[in-house]
Amino acid sequence: MQAPLLQVFDLRRHFPVHNAFGLRTGTIKALDDVSFAVQHGETFGLVGESGCGKTTLGKTLVGIYKPTAGRIVFETTDISGLRGAARGPVVQRLQYIHQDPGSALDPRWTIGRSLDEPLATHTGLSRSERASRSREILAAVGLLPAHLDLYPHELSGGQQRRVGLARILMLRPRLVILDEPTSGLDVSVQATVLKLLRELQQAFDLTYIFISHDLSVVRITCDRIAVMYLGRIVEIAPAHQLFAGPLHPYARSLFSAIPRIGGKRVTDTFALEGEPPDAANLPSGCRFRARCPLAAPVCAEHEPLLTQFGDKHAAACHFAGKLEGART
């Protein structure tokens, strides 16, 4: 069997908390012992509430944030400690598309200059060769050569996302991390963007990590999905298995909140209670226990580990799958 394209081992990213006087008062464990693997050619989803660590994970994988601990193995090479010039070759093959594509583009640069910049920095192509590739990639994302002379503010949100895709495709990456690629778009534009992502994945042999809070989009887009809660993965499984039968109470609460025409109200199924605890002051044991309908004394004493339950399905819960009789 082919080795995973990306492997993450016990990854941690902690942020210090300081008071008004600059004194350290605590630590936010944005990522805490996160482990998973992504296979070549698949679309791997990351879902969870805001603040669960999805974006922090994506930015740590590409080196925007330095890992506090753990290993990131990309194409069989440990890249977690690479810095400066050593990261150059990695940057070309591992790319990240920001949640707000407009803010990721320099407002003073034309689209043509934004597309040319990564090629001028990371390749030895001539100016004419770079211009030719810019037109080629722009066409691949459904834009015209005339867009090269426009500025970001002259484009719609959907067009800005296409430019963001074009910019990272200039370096012919293998793995692309998509941070909320459909947020802020109306349904028709979302469908167009998702169709484009599938076409580009096939045309350029891409692997995706798809970060999103939109579960309906994740369901039809991703091959496998990891559910995150307060910096940890609490469940991971193929998409069809996860939606058919989530094992973790938090995952079930998320999926129960998906509106369904003619279905039960969310509050009639498995509504999630309360707010997440302070990330700088996590409870003992399971960090979900204060909101969990199955919480028991063991949950306060021991933090559950991510454990296999059948083929390719894992969950971090002492009572994984035992949701019968849970309070609503």
Side-chain angles (χ1 to χ4, degrees), residues 8-313:
V8 178
F9 301 97
D10 305 319
L11 187 64
R12 299 183 182 185
R13 173 59 196 184
H14 297 173
F15 295 95
V17 178
H18 299 90
N19 62 19
F21 301 100
L23 300 176
R24 183 166 179 170
T25 58
T27 301
I28 295 177
K29 297 180 179 180
L31 298 176
D32 201 23
D33 289 330
V34 172
S35 299
F36 64 95
V38 178
Q39 301 295 329
H40 172 78
E42 78 169 331
T43 299
F44 183 85
L46 287 174
V47 301
E49 291 175 287
S50 296
C52 71
K54 305 186 298 294
T55 293
T56 299
L57 176 55
K59 291 183 175 181
T60 303
L61 293 177
V62 297
I64 297 174
Y65 294 143
K66 180 181 178 181
T68 302
R71 297 170 58 224
I72 303 169
V73 178
F74 177 59
E75 296 181 318
T76 72
T77 300
D78 189 340
I79 66 171
S80 47
L82 297 181
R83 293 293 176 270
R87 284 197 65 86
V90 176
V91 168
Q92 298 184 45
R93 303 191 305 275
L94 176 59
Q95 292 282 310
Y96 177 89
I97 296 183
H98 292 265
Q99 184 171 345
D100 183 355
S103 64
L105 297 171
D106 193 319
R108 301 166 299 176
W109 287 9
T110 63
I111 301 307
R113 184 175 178 185
S114 291
L115 295 182
D116 182 75
E117 189 263 348
L119 292 180
T121 302
H122 296 289
T123 74
L125 296 177
S126 67
R127 178 173 296 183
S128 62
E129 289 172 327
R130 300 199 305 268
S132 176
R133 183 178 293 188
S134 294
R135 291 190 296 271
E136 173 193 344
I137 298 299
L138 206 64
V141 300
L143 295 177
L144 301 173
H147 287 99
L148 292 170
D149 298 322
L150 299 180
Y151 290 87
H153 72 272
E154 298 179 289
L155 303 177
S156 67
Q159 288 173 330
Q160 289 178 352
R161 278 175 167 78
R162 290 171 184 265
V163 170
L165 285 167
R167 193 167 190 271
I168 62 97
L169 290 175
M170 299 296 286
L171 295 176
R172 305 292 171 88
R174 296 197 66 196
L175 175 62
V176 179
I177 300 173
L178 304 161
D179 193 352
E180 300 282 4
T182 59
S183 66
L185 301 177
D186 61 46
V187 176
S188 61
V189 179
Q190 282 189 21
T192 302
V193 170
L194 292 175
K195 180 175 181 291
L196 175 62
L197 289 174
R198 287 193 293 269
E199 292 172 350
L200 293 176
Q201 185 172 33
Q202 295 176 359
F204 291 91
D205 193 25
L206 299 173
T207 301
Y208 290 146
I209 292 180
F210 195 100
I211 300 172
S212 181
H213 67 278
D214 192 330
L215 298 178
S216 59
V217 169
V218 169
R219 182 173 193 170
I220 63 173
T221 303
C222 299
D223 301 301
R224 288 190 302 134
I225 301 171
V227 181
M228 294 190 68
Y229 185 76
L230 284 178
R232 301 203 74 181
I233 291 178
V234 297
E235 187 162 1
I236 185 170
H240 67 279
Q241 287 188 25
L242 193 59
F243 278 87
L247 300 179
H248 195 282
Y250 175 66
R252 180 174 178 181
S253 68
L254 283 182
F255 300 149
S256 295
I258 302 175
R260 294 177 176 85
I261 297 175
K264 294 182 178 180
R265 295 177 302 173
V266 171
T267 51
D268 292 336
T269 54
F270 197 80
L272 190 59
E273 300 180 355
E275 297 291 334
D278 183 0
N281 187 26
L282 295 173
S284 62
C286 177
R287 55 195 68 190
F288 182 64
R289 62 183 174 84
R291 308 172 72 190
C292 182
L294 303 178
V298 66
C299 302
E301 299 168 1
H302 304 287
E303 187 163 20
L305 301 176
L306 198 62
T307 305
Q308 289 293 132
F309 292 89
D311 185 36
K312 300 179 181 179
H313 200 153

